[in-house]
């Protein structure tokens, strides 16, 4: 949805949509669904994938083993260990936690705006 700010309600719109604003919808928790995991993994699928990923990528294997050695909580949590690989797999949502509001700071031509 495109919201032009050449209107009387522009200050309200900015305060609702700007994430750093004190009255932003996100600061009130009204759009928390955008930060929830929509995708997940099953352990029985990730375990063999993690093994293949480590076999194919020595740097990834070193990073994983280093994290296991440095972080005892991580080492003792099988789900966290599998999540390490899931987050580096092609199945992980790379746009997770991306705030879905953006500003257009350059004038848009009428072909983009249409009849507003």
């Amino acid at each position: 949805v495109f919201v032009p700010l050449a209107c009387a309600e522009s200050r309200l719109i900015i305060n609702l949509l700007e994430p750093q604003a004190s009255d932003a919808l996100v600061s009130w928790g009204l759009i928390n669904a955008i930060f929830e995991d929509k995708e997940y993994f099953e352990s029985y699928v990730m375990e063999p994938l993690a093994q293949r990923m480590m076999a194919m990528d020595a740097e990834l294997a070193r990073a994983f083993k280093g994290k296991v050695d440095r972080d005892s909580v991580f080492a003792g949590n099988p789900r966290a260990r599998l999540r390490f690989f899931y987050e580096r797999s092609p199945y992980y949502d790379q746009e997770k936690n991306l705030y879905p509001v953006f500003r257009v700071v350059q004038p848009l031509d009428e072909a983009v705006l249409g009849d507003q």
Side-chain angles (χ1 to χ4, degrees):
V1 174
F2 178 78
V3 181
L5 295 181
C7 64
E9 297 84 7
S10 63
R11 294 184 108 186
L12 172 64
I13 293 166
I14 291 169
N15 279 301
L16 291 176
L17 297 179
E18 179 62 43
Q20 289 84 18
S22 60
D23 285 326
L25 296 173
V26 71
S27 70
W28 286 94
L30 297 175
I31 55 175
N32 285 348
I34 64 174
F35 301 115
E36 295 172 358
D37 282 328
K38 305 295 188 265
E39 306 286 332
Y40 63 94
F41 63 90
E42 295 290 348
S43 297
Y44 73 91
V45 174
M46 277 309 300
E47 286 178 23
L49 179 60
Q51 290 172 357
R52 285 194 305 274
M53 289 171 71
M54 283 202 312
M56 293 172 54
D57 187 342
E59 183 62 34
L60 178 66
R62 275 193 296 279
F64 174 72
K65 290 176 183 171
K67 186 165 177 72
V68 168
D69 292 342
R70 288 186 314 277
D71 187 341
S72 61
V73 174
F74 176 78
N77 185 335
R79 188 84 179 158
R81 292 192 314 264
L82 287 177
R83 186 166 183 84
F84 176 91
F85 293 100
Y86 172 63
E87 289 175 353
R88 289 154 180 82
S89 78
Y91 308 108
Y92 183 68
D93 181 4
Q94 297 300 321
E95 293 184 350
K96 182 178 184 272
N97 294 330
L98 180 66
Y99 190 65
V101 175
F102 64 94
R103 279 184 224 119
V104 177
V105 294
Q106 295 178 351
L108 296 177
D109 64 32
E110 290 185 32
V112 173
L113 293 174
D115 294 326
Q116 295 279 333

